[in-house]
Short mmCIF file of all heavy atoms in Angstrom, two decimals:
data_model
loop_
_atom_site.label_atom_id
_atom_site.label_comp_id
_atom_site.label_asym_id
_atom_site.label_seq_id
_atom_site.Cartn_x
_atom_site.Cartn_y
_atom_site.Cartn_z
N TRP C 1 0.81 -1.21 0.00
CA TRP C 1 0.00 0.00 0.00
C TRP C 1 0.84 1.26 0.00
O TRP C 1 1.95 1.30 0.56
CB TRP C 1 -0.93 0.03 1.22
CG TRP C 1 -1.93 -1.06 1.23
CD1 TRP C 1 -2.72 -1.49 0.20
CD2 TRP C 1 -2.27 -1.89 2.34
NE1 TRP C 1 -3.53 -2.51 0.58
CE2 TRP C 1 -3.28 -2.79 1.91
CE3 TRP C 1 -1.85 -1.96 3.66
CZ2 TRP C 1 -3.84 -3.75 2.73
CZ3 TRP C 1 -2.41 -2.92 4.49
CH2 TRP C 1 -3.39 -3.79 4.03
N ARG C 2 0.28 2.30 -0.60
CA ARG C 2 0.90 3.63 -0.62
C ARG C 2 -0.19 4.65 -0.26
O ARG C 2 -1.17 4.80 -0.99
CB ARG C 2 1.47 3.91 -2.01
CG ARG C 2 1.98 5.31 -2.24
CD ARG C 2 2.73 5.38 -3.57
NE ARG C 2 1.92 4.89 -4.66
CZ ARG C 2 1.16 5.64 -5.45
NH1 ARG C 2 1.10 6.96 -5.25
NH2 ARG C 2 0.47 5.12 -6.44
N VAL C 3 -0.02 5.32 0.87
CA VAL C 3 -1.02 6.29 1.32
C VAL C 3 -0.90 7.57 0.49
O VAL C 3 0.17 8.19 0.45
CB VAL C 3 -0.85 6.61 2.82
CG1 VAL C 3 -1.92 7.61 3.27
CG2 VAL C 3 -0.94 5.35 3.66
N VAL C 4 -1.99 7.95 -0.17
CA VAL C 4 -1.95 9.12 -1.05
C VAL C 4 -2.70 10.31 -0.47
O VAL C 4 -2.65 11.40 -1.04
CB VAL C 4 -2.52 8.77 -2.45
CG1 VAL C 4 -1.64 7.75 -3.15
CG2 VAL C 4 -3.96 8.26 -2.34
N GLY C 5 -3.39 10.12 0.64
CA GLY C 5 -4.09 11.25 1.23
C GLY C 5 -4.81 10.86 2.51
O GLY C 5 -5.04 9.68 2.78
N LEU C 6 -5.12 11.86 3.31
CA LEU C 6 -5.85 11.69 4.56
C LEU C 6 -7.14 12.51 4.51
O LEU C 6 -7.16 13.57 3.89
CB LEU C 6 -5.01 12.14 5.76
CG LEU C 6 -3.65 11.50 5.95
CD1 LEU C 6 -2.81 12.33 6.92
CD2 LEU C 6 -3.80 10.09 6.50
N LEU C 7 -8.16 12.03 5.17
CA LEU C 7 -9.40 12.81 5.31
C LEU C 7 -9.78 12.87 6.78
O LEU C 7 -9.73 11.84 7.48
CB LEU C 7 -10.54 12.19 4.50
CG LEU C 7 -10.40 12.33 2.98
CD1 LEU C 7 -9.84 11.05 2.39
CD2 LEU C 7 -11.71 12.68 2.31
N ASP C 8 -10.15 14.04 7.24
CA ASP C 8 -10.48 14.22 8.65
C ASP C 8 -11.50 15.35 8.77
O ASP C 8 -11.49 16.30 7.97
CB ASP C 8 -9.22 14.56 9.45
CG ASP C 8 -9.43 14.42 10.95
OD1 ASP C 8 -9.98 15.35 11.56
OD2 ASP C 8 -9.04 13.38 11.50
N ASP C 9 -12.37 15.25 9.76
CA ASP C 9 -13.43 16.26 9.92
C ASP C 9 -12.98 17.50 10.67
O ASP C 9 -13.75 18.46 10.80
CB ASP C 9 -14.63 15.63 10.65
CG ASP C 9 -15.37 14.63 9.78
OD1 ASP C 9 -15.32 14.79 8.54
OD2 ASP C 9 -15.98 13.69 10.32
N ASP C 10 -11.76 17.53 11.17
CA ASP C 10 -11.24 18.70 11.88
C ASP C 10 -10.73 19.73 10.86
O ASP C 10 -9.72 19.49 10.20
CB ASP C 10 -10.11 18.28 12.82
CG ASP C 10 -9.61 19.45 13.67
OD1 ASP C 10 -10.08 20.58 13.46
OD2 ASP C 10 -8.74 19.21 14.53
N PRO C 11 -11.40 20.88 10.71
CA PRO C 11 -10.98 21.87 9.71
C PRO C 11 -9.56 22.38 9.94
O PRO C 11 -8.87 22.77 8.98
CB PRO C 11 -12.00 23.01 9.86
CG PRO C 11 -13.15 22.41 10.59
CD PRO C 11 -12.59 21.33 11.45
N ALA C 12 -9.10 22.40 11.18
CA ALA C 12 -7.75 22.90 11.47
C ALA C 12 -6.66 22.04 10.85
O ALA C 12 -5.53 22.49 10.68
CB ALA C 12 -7.54 22.99 12.99
N LYS C 13 -6.99 20.80 10.49
CA LYS C 13 -5.98 19.90 9.92
C LYS C 13 -5.97 19.91 8.40
O LYS C 13 -5.03 19.38 7.79
CB LYS C 13 -6.25 18.46 10.40
CG LYS C 13 -6.09 18.28 11.91
CD LYS C 13 -6.42 16.84 12.32
CE LYS C 13 -6.28 16.68 13.83
NZ LYS C 13 -6.66 15.30 14.27
N HIS C 14 -6.98 20.51 7.78
CA HIS C 14 -7.07 20.49 6.32
C HIS C 14 -5.89 21.23 5.68
O HIS C 14 -5.48 22.30 6.15
CB HIS C 14 -8.39 21.09 5.85
CG HIS C 14 -9.57 20.27 6.27
ND1 HIS C 14 -10.87 20.74 6.21
CD2 HIS C 14 -9.65 19.00 6.76
CE1 HIS C 14 -11.69 19.81 6.64
NE2 HIS C 14 -10.98 18.75 6.98
N GLN C 15 -5.36 20.64 4.62
CA GLN C 15 -4.21 21.16 3.86
C GLN C 15 -2.90 21.11 4.65
O GLN C 15 -1.89 21.62 4.18
CB GLN C 15 -4.48 22.59 3.35
CG GLN C 15 -5.75 22.73 2.53
CD GLN C 15 -5.85 21.71 1.42
OE1 GLN C 15 -4.92 21.56 0.62
NE2 GLN C 15 -6.97 20.98 1.34
N ARG C 16 -2.92 20.51 5.83
CA ARG C 16 -1.68 20.26 6.56
C ARG C 16 -1.15 18.90 6.13
O ARG C 16 -1.83 18.13 5.44
CB ARG C 16 -1.93 20.29 8.08
CG ARG C 16 -2.64 21.55 8.57
CD ARG C 16 -1.78 22.80 8.47
NE ARG C 16 -0.68 22.76 9.43
CZ ARG C 16 -0.76 23.18 10.68
NH1 ARG C 16 -1.92 23.64 11.15
NH2 ARG C 16 0.29 23.15 11.48
N GLU C 17 0.06 18.57 6.56
CA GLU C 17 0.68 17.31 6.15
C GLU C 17 1.17 16.52 7.35
O GLU C 17 1.60 17.10 8.35
CB GLU C 17 1.84 17.55 5.18
CG GLU C 17 1.42 18.08 3.83
CD GLU C 17 2.59 18.16 2.86
OE1 GLU C 17 3.73 17.84 3.27
OE2 GLU C 17 2.37 18.53 1.69
N ILE C 18 1.11 15.19 7.23
CA ILE C 18 1.70 14.27 8.20
C ILE C 18 2.64 13.35 7.43
O ILE C 18 2.19 12.60 6.54
CB ILE C 18 0.63 13.45 8.94
CG1 ILE C 18 -0.36 14.36 9.67
CG2 ILE C 18 1.29 12.49 9.93
CD1 ILE C 18 -1.50 13.60 10.33
N TYR C 19 3.93 13.45 7.73
CA TYR C 19 4.95 12.66 7.01
C TYR C 19 4.81 12.81 5.49
O TYR C 19 4.93 11.85 4.73
CB TYR C 19 4.86 11.18 7.40
CG TYR C 19 5.22 10.91 8.83
CD1 TYR C 19 4.32 10.28 9.69
CD2 TYR C 19 6.46 11.28 9.34
CE1 TYR C 19 4.65 10.04 11.02
CE2 TYR C 19 6.79 11.04 10.67
CZ TYR C 19 5.88 10.43 11.50
OH TYR C 19 6.22 10.18 12.82
N GLY C 20 4.53 14.04 5.07
CA GLY C 20 4.46 14.32 3.64
C GLY C 20 3.14 13.98 2.98
O GLY C 20 2.99 14.19 1.78
N VAL C 21 2.18 13.47 3.73
CA VAL C 21 0.87 13.12 3.18
C VAL C 21 -0.13 14.19 3.60
O VAL C 21 -0.27 14.48 4.79
CB VAL C 21 0.41 11.73 3.66
CG1 VAL C 21 -0.95 11.39 3.06
CG2 VAL C 21 1.44 10.67 3.29
N LYS C 22 -0.84 14.75 2.63
CA LYS C 22 -1.73 15.89 2.89
C LYS C 22 -3.08 15.45 3.43
O LYS C 22 -3.63 14.43 3.01
CB LYS C 22 -1.91 16.71 1.61
CG LYS C 22 -2.73 17.98 1.80
CD LYS C 22 -2.82 18.77 0.52
CE LYS C 22 -1.51 19.45 0.17
NZ LYS C 22 -1.65 20.37 -0.99
N VAL C 23 -3.60 16.25 4.39
CA VAL C 23 -4.98 16.10 4.87
C VAL C 23 -5.86 16.85 3.89
O VAL C 23 -5.81 18.08 3.81
CB VAL C 23 -5.16 16.64 6.30
CG1 VAL C 23 -6.59 16.40 6.78
CG2 VAL C 23 -4.16 15.99 7.25
N LEU C 24 -6.69 16.14 3.13
CA LEU C 24 -7.34 16.72 1.96
C LEU C 24 -8.64 17.45 2.28
O LEU C 24 -8.83 18.60 1.91
CB LEU C 24 -7.61 15.61 0.94
CG LEU C 24 -6.37 14.83 0.48
CD1 LEU C 24 -6.78 13.59 -0.30
CD2 LEU C 24 -5.48 15.71 -0.37
N ASP C 25 -9.56 16.75 2.98
CA ASP C 25 -10.93 17.26 3.10
C ASP C 25 -11.63 16.55 4.25
O ASP C 25 -11.08 15.60 4.83
CB ASP C 25 -11.70 16.99 1.80
CG ASP C 25 -11.80 18.24 0.92
OD1 ASP C 25 -11.82 19.36 1.47
OD2 ASP C 25 -11.86 18.08 -0.31
N PRO C 26 -12.89 16.95 4.55
CA PRO C 26 -13.69 16.17 5.50
C PRO C 26 -13.99 14.77 4.94
O PRO C 26 -13.95 14.54 3.73
CB PRO C 26 -14.98 16.98 5.64
CG PRO C 26 -14.62 18.36 5.19
CD PRO C 26 -13.57 18.18 4.14
N ILE C 27 -14.33 13.85 5.82
CA ILE C 27 -14.55 12.46 5.43
C ILE C 27 -15.71 12.32 4.46
O ILE C 27 -15.70 11.44 3.58
CB ILE C 27 -14.79 11.61 6.70
CG1 ILE C 27 -13.49 11.52 7.51
CG2 ILE C 27 -15.29 10.21 6.36
CD1 ILE C 27 -13.63 10.88 8.88
N ILE C 28 -16.70 13.20 4.55
CA ILE C 28 -17.87 13.11 3.68
C ILE C 28 -17.51 13.26 2.21
O ILE C 28 -18.24 12.83 1.31
CB ILE C 28 -18.92 14.18 4.09
CG1 ILE C 28 -20.28 13.89 3.46
CG2 ILE C 28 -18.44 15.58 3.74
CD1 ILE C 28 -20.93 12.64 3.99
N HIS C 29 -16.34 13.87 1.92
CA HIS C 29 -15.91 14.06 0.53
C HIS C 29 -15.12 12.87 -0.01
O HIS C 29 -14.49 12.98 -1.07
CB HIS C 29 -15.05 15.33 0.42
CG HIS C 29 -15.81 16.59 0.67
ND1 HIS C 29 -15.22 17.77 1.02
CD2 HIS C 29 -17.15 16.83 0.64
CE1 HIS C 29 -16.14 18.70 1.19
NE2 HIS C 29 -17.33 18.15 0.96
N LEU C 30 -15.14 11.74 0.69
CA LEU C 30 -14.39 10.56 0.25
C LEU C 30 -14.73 10.13 -1.18
O LEU C 30 -13.82 9.84 -1.96
CB LEU C 30 -14.63 9.41 1.23
CG LEU C 30 -13.99 8.07 0.86
CD1 LEU C 30 -12.47 8.17 0.90
CD2 LEU C 30 -14.48 6.96 1.79
N PRO C 31 -16.00 10.05 -1.58
CA PRO C 31 -16.30 9.60 -2.95
C PRO C 31 -15.60 10.45 -4.01
O PRO C 31 -15.15 9.92 -5.04
CB PRO C 31 -17.83 9.73 -3.04
CG PRO C 31 -18.30 9.60 -1.63
CD PRO C 31 -17.25 10.26 -0.80
N THR C 32 -15.50 11.76 -3.78
CA THR C 32 -14.82 12.64 -4.74
C THR C 32 -13.35 12.27 -4.88
O THR C 32 -12.80 12.16 -5.99
CB THR C 32 -14.95 14.11 -4.30
OG1 THR C 32 -16.32 14.45 -4.19
CG2 THR C 32 -14.26 15.03 -5.31
N TRP C 33 -12.68 12.07 -3.74
CA TRP C 33 -11.23 11.79 -3.77
C TRP C 33 -10.92 10.38 -4.25
O TRP C 33 -9.86 10.16 -4.85
CB TRP C 33 -10.65 12.04 -2.38
CG TRP C 33 -10.55 13.51 -2.07
CD1 TRP C 33 -11.37 14.23 -1.26
CD2 TRP C 33 -9.60 14.42 -2.61
NE1 TRP C 33 -10.99 15.55 -1.25
CE2 TRP C 33 -9.90 15.70 -2.07
CE3 TRP C 33 -8.53 14.30 -3.49
CZ2 TRP C 33 -9.16 16.83 -2.38
CZ3 TRP C 33 -7.78 15.43 -3.80
CH2 TRP C 33 -8.09 16.68 -3.25
#
């Protein structure tokens, strides 16, 4: 596996990165991503 993105409902984490992987959007937007 290769993690290409994170989704989280906390707005403060959006567009931040963890180990180079970006927090993209709230979880509800999963189908789009």
